Amino acid sequence: MKNLQETFTELLRRAATDLPADVESAIERAVREERRGTAAHSALTIILQNTAAAREASAPLCQDTGTHTWYVFLPDGHPTEEIRKAIRGATVQATRKSYLRPNQMEALSGVNSGDNLGVGHPVIHFVPWKKPGLHADVLLKGGGCENCSTQYSLPDQRLGAGRDLAGVRACLLDAVHRAQGRGCAPGILGVAVGGDRALGYRAAKEQFFRLLHDVNADPQLAGLEADVLSCANRLGVGPMGFGGRTTLLGVKATRLHRLPASFFVTVAYMCWACRRASVTVAGKDVRFSQTALAGRP
């Protein structure tokens, strides 16, 4: 139990202080694409400087260390309470070590718990799998970018969007335009087409566990992702809303079954600080990874 808690504490440290390599590379490419001397180029350069400083000092990449969403893969029938306790204990320990800031507060009173524990936090999903050992993914998502997440119900008369791929595209570009520079652009869109309202948000957020440079196995969604990314980066919103060529770093989409009466398009918006990390534990073998795709089923 103690060893597992220490492992999860280290996982939180890595997630909160070390930007994944694929995200950092995307920002480095964006710096090269922005014109020198512009506010966009300056903002991206400062982001990279902040990234390096946070990594060196094991300090949070952002003052908002966010909502923590965990996915724990473990053998079917394995008890979960010990793992839940280890995650909660690691959350407290990581907060005390200042890898995390105490951001969680009671909704109505505004009273801060002081240790990042509270009703509904951290968010923990247990997923049975056929492999031996345990694999855990964690995602830290700040409140500013969460404010820019949204959901559409098609058809949408305001957008002239119907129940088809063109309608989905219209929703995504509208979400980017409405966000403008809020949510700490350049951002990443996680998208779920279909499902109900709750499942749509969950599936949309799960897209942030994908690598930015991967290609969707669904040809229609792969085309949608590339098209929306290209179009969004021609809107001129740019980093932090300062204008420029980099409004989004990536678009990641999935599709779900739906009921005939409903056609939801759910957009989860992630800031540039897409903080995710993974660990696989098999006996005494512990392997950390910057990408939350490692070892997943």
Side-chain angles (χ1 to χ4, degrees):
M1 170 65 176
K2 183 178 179 181
N3 289 342
L4 191 58
Q5 179 174 307
E6 293 295 334
T7 297
F8 288 159
T9 300
E10 172 62 11
L11 183 64
L12 286 169
R13 184 194 70 81
R14 291 171 181 244
T17 68
D18 193 1
L19 192 66
D22 62 307
V23 181
E24 188 171 9
S25 294
I27 297 171
E28 290 171 343
R29 287 194 300 273
V31 169
R32 295 192 292 269
E33 292 172 2
E34 296 290 354
R35 290 187 295 111
R36 286 184 174 274
T38 62
H41 186 275
S42 176
L44 292 170
T45 301
I46 291 171
I47 285 173
L48 288 177
Q49 292 170 348
N50 174 80
T51 297
R55 180 179 294 125
E56 182 178 354
S58 283
L61 279 158
C62 175
Q63 71 272 19
D64 181 355
T65 47
T67 296
H68 313 160
T69 300
W70 292 75
Y71 283 84
V72 182
F73 297 80
L74 69 173
D76 195 11
H78 191 287
T80 60
E81 189 55 32
E82 180 180 348
I83 298 170
R84 191 184 303 275
K85 288 180 179 178
I87 289 173
R88 290 175 64 85
T91 301
V92 173
Q93 190 170 0
T95 305
R96 288 174 179 166
K97 290 177 176 287
S98 297
Y99 304 146
L100 304 172
R101 289 190 66 192
N103 291 140
Q104 293 298 319
M105 59 180 62
E106 200 279 325
L108 296 181
S109 69
V111 173
N112 195 310
S113 66
D115 57 10
N116 274 309
L117 298 182
V119 178
H121 194 266
V123 181
I124 307 171
H125 302 291
F126 290 105
V127 184
W129 70 346
K130 300 294 184 182
K131 298 182 181 181
L134 172 151
H135 177 85
D137 299 332
V138 65
L139 177 76
L140 311 184
K141 191 174 190 300
C145 63
E146 183 72 353
N147 290 341
C148 295
S149 298
T150 188
Q151 192 171 66
Y152 299 83
S153 180
L154 297 182
D156 188 307
Q157 187 174 9
R158 179 180 65 88
L159 298 177
R163 292 182 162 190
D164 52 24
L165 206 59
V168 174
R169 178 182 184 275
C171 293
L172 304 190
L173 291 175
D174 180 69
V176 174
H177 184 261
R178 288 169 59 187
Q180 292 292 316
R182 296 181 297 113
C184 292
I188 303 166
L189 299 188
V191 180
V193 182
D196 67 0
R197 290 191 181 274
L199 182 58
Y201 272 116
R202 174 170 170 173
K205 288 185 178 181
E206 286 176 354
Q207 299 310 297
F208 298 133
F209 288 116
R210 289 173 53 191
L211 293 170
L212 288 183
H213 55 262
D214 76 0
V215 178
N216 200 312
D218 183 324
Q220 281 189 304
L221 294 183
L224 175 72
E225 291 173 356
D227 178 36
V228 171
L229 179 61
S230 176
C231 290
N233 285 335
R234 295 198 300 270
L235 291 176
V237 175
M240 306 298 171
F242 292 150
R245 302 167 182 170
T246 316
T247 300
L248 292 181
L249 297 174
V251 180
K252 302 297 172 185
T254 189
R255 66 167 100 187
L256 309 167
H257 279 216
R258 61 178 178 86
L259 294 175
S262 301
F263 194 120
F264 295 115
V265 178
T266 308
V267 184
Y269 187 97
M270 175 64 84
C271 61
W272 65 265
C274 184
R275 293 159 290 178
R276 47 172 156 77
S278 300
V279 67
T280 301
V281 181
K284 294 183 178 180
D285 183 27
V286 178
R287 288 175 292 143
F288 292 97
S289 173
Q290 279 197 321
T291 165
L293 294 175
R296 266 193 162 201

